[in-house]
Amino acid sequence: MQVHPDSAKIGFPPPLIYLGILLLGFAWTGLTGRLGPAGTLSIWTGGAFLLMGAGVIIAGSERFRSMGTEVKPWLPATHLVTTGIYRFTRNPMYLGMAILYTGLAIFLDSFTALLLLPVAILLVRTQVIAREERYLLGRFGADYVAYKKSVPRWF
């Protein structure tokens, strides 16, 4: 993948952070022989989180597409998206990924994966969101500052 010079300069798909940490948690849980649905409550609760996370991701990415701006952070942003789900959270796709991660961890009864979720969020915050925020500030200036003041990063 080629990183465009006018971008947040993130050279990897951010979902890989969540996926890598999640798989590490599953592997750790699997070593104890406990990976798999624990019961009806885990299945229903995990499933609810999975659906909610997928919905948030889809709402965020579809809003980008409808505004004609790029979802991939290694390509230029053409619009500052502040409508739809972006009225409530500045990072719905990353929030949705965290919710999806939570659902998978609950569904597969991996307490270790749940314990590692803050690591994934910290990596996304420092390695992806911080770069995107610097880029958006440079690209959209005062409009981005006003948006940051009115909408929380996560929820």
Side-chain angles (χ1 to χ4, degrees):
M1 125 187 22
Q2 186 167 344
V3 176
H4 193 279
D6 178 24
S7 73
K9 295 181 179 54
I10 297 163
F12 58 91
L16 293 180
I17 294 173
Y18 285 106
L19 180 61
I21 300 295
L22 182 68
L23 292 175
L24 180 64
F26 286 167
W28 193 347
T29 300
L31 290 175
T32 65
R34 295 185 326 230
L35 191 64
T40 304
L41 183 59
S42 290
I43 291 170
W44 282 101
T45 305
F49 273 89
L50 287 168
L51 290 173
M52 186 172 27
V56 171
I57 293 168
I58 291 167
S61 59
E62 285 303 312
R63 178 54 59 174
F64 263 41
R65 285 185 187 92
S66 73
M67 296 293 294
T69 198
E70 189 56 58
V71 173
K72 299 170 186 162
W74 52 87
L75 295 174
T78 55
H79 295 87
L80 178 61
V81 180
T82 61
T83 59
I85 195 165
Y86 289 89
R87 292 178 296 145
F88 308 106
T89 174
R90 294 194 318 257
N91 295 290
M93 289 180 265
Y94 302 136
L95 175 60
M97 289 176 210
I99 296 168
L100 195 73
Y101 176 115
T102 302
L104 285 167
I106 291 170
F107 187 85
L108 294 175
D109 196 31
S110 178
F111 184 68
T112 306
L114 281 176
L115 286 177
L116 291 176
L117 177 59
V119 174
I121 290 171
L122 180 65
L123 286 171
V124 168
R125 168 67 187 96
T126 60
Q127 301 306 308
V128 179
I129 294 173
R131 293 178 191 188
E132 288 180 347
E133 287 181 340
R134 283 191 299 272
Y135 169 70
L136 293 171
L137 179 61
R139 178 106 174 148
F140 300 108
D143 289 339
Y144 183 66
V145 171
Y147 176 61
K148 275 180 67 170
K149 287 180 181 176
S150 64
V151 177
R153 175 175 291 129
W154 296 99
F155 49 84

